[in-house]
Each structure stands twice: as structure tokens, then as C-alpha cells.
Amino acid sequence: MILTVTLNTALDITYRVGSLRPHASHRVSEVTERPGGKGVNVARVLAALGHEVTVTGFKGGATGRVVQEKLAEVPRVADALVPVSGATRRTIAVVDERTGDTTQLNEPGPVITPAEWSAFQEAYADLLHGVLAVALCGSLPPGVPVGAYAGLVRTARAAGVPVLLDTSGEPLRRGVAARPDIIKPNADELAELTGSYEPLRATQDARRRGAGAVVASLGPEGLLAATREGRWRATPPAPVRGNPTGAGDSAVAGLLSGLADHLPWPDRLTRATALATATVSAPAAGEFDRGLYEELLEKVAVTAEVTAA
């Protein structure tokens, strides 16, 4: 079983409009609601790949109940969300059908009390028993200490569970110092962490700061990985038109799936790149175009940057 942690879970609401125009009224052609947050998206992709997944984080209020109800509809995903007094946030995505562009509005999330944070840490430690890997994903809701992910990384390492960290800013900087097995920043997050805009140099710098492996998302250019075994670049055959929201989450799912299946790094990167690219052409985060994914598994190019990292 794989555990995903989404401290700032959400109900993802997507509106589709013919053309998005500022200062105008819009007729919505379609509305969808899905359980969301980065770790939840990761869990849905992992489940679609056939893995058993447990989702944890916080739930609260009427929105939290809707998230739980919709999670119960996802095969192979178990709900271990921890209740809080505040309300789970909503994220609003408005898709312009004319251009394909998406405008995103993200609420901050509920304020977490010290007692609620302590209860979560106890539940998290219990959930680590028998877990193949854990992913720590996304932003921190108000009230959670900025060093929260660092503590969760240390707890996983003490339990002997490989841990992947996917966050940004100060939570990433502190989390890296706790020595996670993998981090998966995008190019901007990596530059903010290291001060370098040259990806090869930045991935090596991030490893020196404590990460066992660094897999950087470079958008349509694919993934760049620096690991103990070597450095690789994984590139899709061609850009795919669509909505890139959730592509990074699918890449995380591919990395975790490859870890659980004991694949070598080049094959993990192939899987992660194929999933991320196939997500761009899917309608929502946490989903992917399976036919395109299977086609891309044969077409993603993985090249070694150096023989050793």
C-alpha cells in the first residue's frame, strides 16, 4: 500500500465557459466536482494504475464531507482523513473552451489548531506501518508549522518508509534538510530552493542540501533527475495540447509506482513522463489519457546526462 498526505485537501470545482472575459458574466456549459489537493490527485492516478492507496490529511465542514463521499467512489483508495473544526477549502478552475487556458482560484484552507496538528501526527505515524512509500504533497493550511514536512519526513525515515516530498518555498527548504528520499520540484521551485536557474546545477545543489534524489519537472521538456545512481533526462516525443494542471501530480504517481514496482530509475522516469504528458490531454487533475499513456511508454526518450551523480 502507498500512503499520500495532503495537508490542504480540497474540493476541486471546474467550470467550463465558451470564452473567459474579465468584467463579464459567463454562462457555464459544464460543472464538475472532484476530491482534490496534490496528494489526492496522486492517489487517484496510482489507483488507476492498480495500486492500493490510502489518503490522509485534514477534512472539515460540509466541503470535507463532500470530499469524503467522492473519495469513497474511487476504487482502491482508502480514506484516512483526520477531522478538524474548520472547513475544507475549495479550488475553482475556469476553463476557457476557446483557448484551452485555465484560470485557477485557490482558497487558503482551514486554520489547524495545535491539538489538531498533534492528532494528525499520531495518526500519520500509525498509518506508516506496512506502507511501501509515502508522498507528502502540496501547501500547508494556516496553523500548521512551516517545518511540518521536515517532521513528517523524519517520522517516515524512522519507520523505514521511503518518502517523496512535493512542496515549495520554506516548507520545501526545511523538508529537504530532513533528507527525504526524493523531491519533485518544478523549475521555478527548484530555482527558489537553490538560487540557480541552470537545472543540472540546481538538481545537484538540491541533493547536497539533503535530498536523496531530485526529479525536476521541466514542463513540456519532461523531467530531469539527479540520483545516487546517475543523472537522466526524460523527454516526451512532442508537446501535447491541453491543461497542464495535475501533470506534476501524475509525475509523482509515476515515480511512486515505479518505486513500488522496483523499477530502475530510467524506467521510473519513463513512466512518470508518460503519465504527466497523458494528464495534459485529460479533462482534470488526477486523470490521464490511458491510450496516450500506453503509447508514450514506448516513445519517451531517457538519456543519461552523466554516468554517476
Side-chain angles (χ1 to χ4, degrees), residues 64-230:
R65 288 192 292 274
V66 175
V67 168
Q68 278 196 291
E69 291 168 2
K70 292 190 174 295
L71 276 176
E73 300 170 1
V74 184
R76 290 184 291 273
V77 172
D79 165 20
L81 296 172
V82 175
V84 295
S85 58
T88 297
R89 67 183 178 135
R90 297 163 297 177
T91 67
I92 311 296
V94 183
V95 178
D96 185 321
E97 294 177 329
R98 180 178 58 85
T99 64
D101 293 336
T102 300
T103 299
Q104 192 86 15
L105 303 172
N106 297 329
E107 295 180 356
V111 176
I112 306 302
T113 67
E116 290 168 343
W117 175 235
S118 294
F120 174 82
Q121 291 177 87
E122 293 179 9
Y124 169 76
D126 290 340
L127 287 168
L128 288 172
H129 298 297
V131 166
L132 294 173
V134 58
L136 309 175
C137 303
S139 62
L140 301 178
V144 172
V146 71
Y149 281 134
L152 298 182
V153 168
R154 286 190 286 267
T155 301
R157 288 181 59 83
V161 177
V163 56
L164 184 154
L165 176 62
D166 183 15
T167 188
S168 60
E170 187 66 12
L172 174 59
R173 190 185 70 80
R174 297 197 186 194
V176 167
R179 309 186 71 81
D181 295 87
I182 307 170
I183 64 170
K184 198 230 52 77
N186 62 32
D188 290 339
E189 292 162 351
L190 183 63
E192 183 182 9
L193 173 67
T194 65
S196 174
Y197 286 86
E198 202 292 303
L200 278 172
R201 180 180 299 116
T203 54
Q204 284 296 89
D205 187 8
R207 285 204 64 221
R208 285 192 290 270
R209 291 168 185 257
V214 181
V215 181
S217 294
L218 304 179
E221 298 178 11
L223 300 175
L224 177 65
T227 78
R228 294 182 181 89
E229 291 79 13

Side-chain angles (χ1 to χ4, degrees), residues 203-279:
T203 54
Q204 284 296 89
D205 187 8
R207 285 204 64 221
R208 285 192 290 270
R209 291 168 185 257
V214 181
V215 181
S217 294
L218 304 179
E221 298 178 11
L223 300 175
L224 177 65
T227 78
R228 294 182 181 89
E229 291 79 13
R231 290 191 219 174
W232 293 273
R233 189 181 296 268
T235 309
V240 173
R241 180 177 171 80
N243 179 9
T245 303
D249 303 334
S250 291
V252 169
L255 295 172
L256 289 171
S257 175
L259 174 65
D261 291 342
H262 306 289
L263 297 181
W265 268 106
D267 292 341
R268 296 187 206 178
L269 296 170
T270 295
R271 184 175 292 183
T273 303
L275 280 169
T277 306
T279 295

